Amino acid sequence: MTALRPPETAEEAPARSRPGSWWPVVRLRAAETRLRPAAVRGLHALRRLFPELWLRASGRAGGGTPTAGFLRRRMVVLPALAVIALALSGAAYTDIHDRTERLRDRCAPALVDLARARTSLELAQAQASTRLNTGDRPGMVALGETYRSRLTEATQSLGRVAQSGALRKAQEQELRVVSGLVVGYGDKIAWAERHRATPVLRKAGVAYADDMLRGRVGTVSDSDEMPPTSILDRIAGLERDLHRENGDLAAWSPLTLTAAAAAALATALFAFVLVGTSVFLRDRLRLVSVQLAAAAVPVLVTPVLLAAAGAEEHGAQVQVRTDLGVLERLTAGREAPRLIEATAHRTDTVMRGATPDTWSLTAGIASAAAGTGALACGVTLYLYVRPYPPARPRRKYPDA
């Protein structure tokens, strides 16, 4: 007998609608109580389904399966499952490997060169300002080789970024604008050096060049959403875009996750059907098929191998993303060039440690061997089914 619930009091009835009251908790617990039997029934259904699947996989369902028909079906099903598992595993690994190659060959070098260009320009401006304006003898000495080497390094770094292939069309156009502004910046500093004997012209040239570089002089903006106009702001915008793409490359993509999950399911199904077929061969033909097991080994090993390769390369991608993130916060200083070179060396070491080229070659060889194994599974079952002629309907001869 179900116990009757006492009637609600005047204080409890309005409590249903009050926020934070106990009534939603009671309703949630009641919903959980109703859902728990459904979950239990679903679990029992799965437990009952597995024996049925095993009976079908081992050919024991329906009171006895014809040997020839069973082997002919498995002659097609096993290679098909193997090919599906290999194709999905290859798609997942190829997506990760393509991201590794883009990060290693394009994005990482471009980010390093952009950081070099940005810090070199700031160091060049500091050297020009010291020589022409704020030194012990302003305007009395030439700029010297330090300024010229910094400016040359910045120009060469921007040229390498343009050749890296890491930029899209709009970013390439922005980089061309930056390169043109750098040339104009160098011309203004050279003009100030030629007029270093005249303090007014010398200071005006350095101030104008500093405005081109940093946008500090005469810049009025009513909105923070104005596009960047100075050289350093434009370079910083390109760096932000590449750092964002770098983060996307090091993240798990939906294609990789979907293909990997489907490949794991297909591989497990292939192993399940393979074991059922081996049991059928032992029960019906009284043989242990070493050929079938040997042919299935590369099919089962290759997805695991590709998963290990993808995991190692993805780990390297995450590490490189972290190392390159330091460059975005790096400011110009005496230690900036050394830190940039150390970061470039570290990212190169991490990528070489992941051995993506070796993994790619290994994956190609393993996939070819697995494809051969899938074909061998079908051929082996075909040889087993050859002694059994296909079932043909009897001819009915007319009465003579």
Side-chain angles (χ1 to χ4, degrees), residues 50 53-55 57 74 267-277:
F50 181 78
L53 291 176
W54 172 247
L55 291 177
R74 294 304 164 88
T267 304
L269 186 59
F270 172 81
F272 184 74
V273 175
L274 175 69
V275 173
T277 305

Side-chain angles (χ1 to χ4, degrees), residues 68-322:
F70 181 86
L71 293 179
R72 286 192 178 91
R73 287 194 298 271
R74 294 304 164 88
M75 186 176 64
V76 177
V77 170
L78 275 178
L81 287 175
V83 170
I84 292 172
L86 293 175
L88 292 171
S89 303
Y93 171 72
T94 301
D95 184 59
I96 294 180
H97 185 70
D98 291 344
R99 290 165 174 264
T100 301
E101 287 187 338
R102 178 167 179 78
L103 183 60
R104 179 192 62 183
D105 301 335
R106 299 183 181 184
C107 285
L111 281 170
V112 170
D113 283 324
L114 283 175
R116 285 196 187 109
R118 175 170 53 81
T119 55
S120 296
L121 286 172
E122 293 189 71
L123 293 174
Q125 175 62 22
Q127 183 70 16
S129 178
T130 300
R131 290 278 185 150
L132 297 178
N133 280 349
T134 61
D136 296 335
R137 301 169 60 192
M140 301 302 294
V141 294
L143 286 174
E145 291 300 324
T146 303
Y147 163 80
R148 292 183 175 84
S149 64
R150 296 299 184 191
L151 187 61
T152 301
E153 183 179 2
T155 304
Q156 291 176 350
S157 298
L158 292 175
R160 288 194 295 268
V161 174
Q163 297 173 0
S164 66
L167 304 180
R168 299 185 298 271
K169 291 296 182 181
Q171 294 171 335
E172 290 178 358
Q173 180 65 30
E174 181 73 6
L175 185 64
R176 284 193 288 268
V177 173
V178 171
S179 300
L181 290 174
V182 169
V183 174
Y185 164 81
D187 293 341
K188 291 302 176 184
I189 294 294
W191 184 85
E193 184 187 19
R194 288 195 301 269
H195 295 84
R196 64 177 182 268
T198 307
V200 175
L201 297 180
R202 184 184 69 241
K203 292 180 180 179
V206 175
Y208 191 86
D210 187 75
D211 183 28
M212 292 180 62
L213 187 66
R214 296 188 176 93
R216 293 179 178 178
V217 181
T219 301
V220 179
S221 177
D222 297 331
S223 173
D224 294 337
E225 298 180 357
M226 292 288 292
T229 56
S230 65
I231 297 174
L232 294 181
D233 287 343
R234 290 175 183 270
I235 293 177
L238 291 174
E239 283 187 282
R240 283 193 299 270
D241 292 342
L242 285 181
H243 277 294
R244 192 178 301 112
E245 183 178 356
N246 185 19
D248 294 338
L249 290 175
W252 290 108
S253 69
L255 174 60
T256 301
L257 294 177
T258 304
L265 180 61
T267 304
L269 186 59
F270 172 81
F272 184 74
V273 175
L274 175 69
V275 173
T277 305
S278 300
V279 170
F280 179 86
L281 293 175
R282 187 198 61 186
D283 293 343
R284 292 293 181 89
L285 303 184
R286 300 295 187 270
L287 63 87
V288 176
S289 180
V290 179
Q291 296 88 343
L292 185 62
V297 167
V299 179
L300 296 173
V301 170
T302 299
V304 178
L305 186 67
L306 294 180
E312 184 170 358
E313 290 192 24
H314 181 262
Q317 293 171 7
V318 174
Q319 183 63 41
V320 168
R321 178 185 61 187
T322 304

